[in-house]
Amino acid sequence: MSFKFNWGGFPADFTADALEMLTQALNKGTNKPANLVGPIVAKELDLGSQAPQLDVLEISELESDRFRAMFRMRYEGDGYLVLQTQVQANPLRLPAPVVPGVLPLGVGAAAAPLVVPMLLRISHLRLHGIVVLAVSKSSGVTLVFRSDPLVSVEVHSTFDSVPSVRRML
């Protein structure tokens, strides 16, 4: 069984809440790459005009205050996400000189980090997989992928035109 639903025209408060939750989630933990030196902020979210395709595989709970179901999902839409952070563009720094005032020869580096803002645009997202959706009045909405759904994605940054920085990122 499959169904169609209206997609798009999401309320501004929904998008603002989603951006805030994404920002919080992206800044949890300490596993960011070393050259990302600022917080990651979700700046723009557009869920696009094309809805995901959902096929109902199983409905395990259907009550007035709870719903739980498993779906086969396929998304190849035109949505995108823009993230902003800061990146250290010169990861090599000068070591402290062995002899004060004498710099080591043959090393090209900076005496201080060069931190610059960066925008990342994530788009052309293709997802295929099995999802479990649980909706509860007391717990809210939970969506879990049973396996990695990522088929492909495009990521572009403000440094795409600077090959040496692009390779480093």
Side-chain angles (χ1 to χ4, degrees), residues 59-68:
I59 297 176
S60 56
E61 285 186 57
L62 183 57
E63 299 179 24
S64 63
D65 62 342
R66 282 188 288 217
F67 172 77
R68 182 179 166 94

Side-chain angles (χ1 to χ4, degrees), residues 73-113:
M73 188 197 82
R74 182 179 190 97
Y75 178 75
E76 297 182 11
D78 55 350
Y80 65 89
L81 172 65
V82 176
L83 304 173
Q84 182 177 21
T85 189
Q86 293 178 328
V87 64
Q88 183 175 334
N90 59 341
L92 297 176
R93 296 181 63 194
L94 288 174
V98 177
V99 178
V102 178
L103 297 176
L105 297 176
V107 176

Side-chain angles (χ1 to χ4, degrees), residues 55-59 68-72 130-132 146:
D55 298 321
V56 178
L57 300 177
E58 173 184 311
I59 297 176
R68 182 179 166 94
M70 187 182 311
F71 300 90
R72 176 177 293 113
I130 305 295
V131 296
V132 176
R146 302 230 22 217

Side-chain angles (χ1 to χ4, degrees), residues 102-161:
V102 178
L103 297 176
L105 297 176
V107 176
L114 174 62
V115 177
V116 293
M118 178 178 69
L119 293 174
L120 288 172
R121 182 183 170 100
I122 300 168
S123 61
H124 294 90
L125 187 64
R126 292 182 57 214
L127 303 172
H128 300 173
I130 305 295
V131 296
V132 176
L133 173 67
V135 180
S136 165
K137 282 187 178 178
S138 61
S139 303
V141 178
T142 303
L143 181 72
V144 178
F145 288 94
R146 302 230 22 217
S147 61
D148 183 3
L150 184 62
V151 175
S152 65
V153 64
E154 287 185 19
V155 180
H156 296 282
S157 83
T158 49
F159 296 108
D160 282 355
S161 62

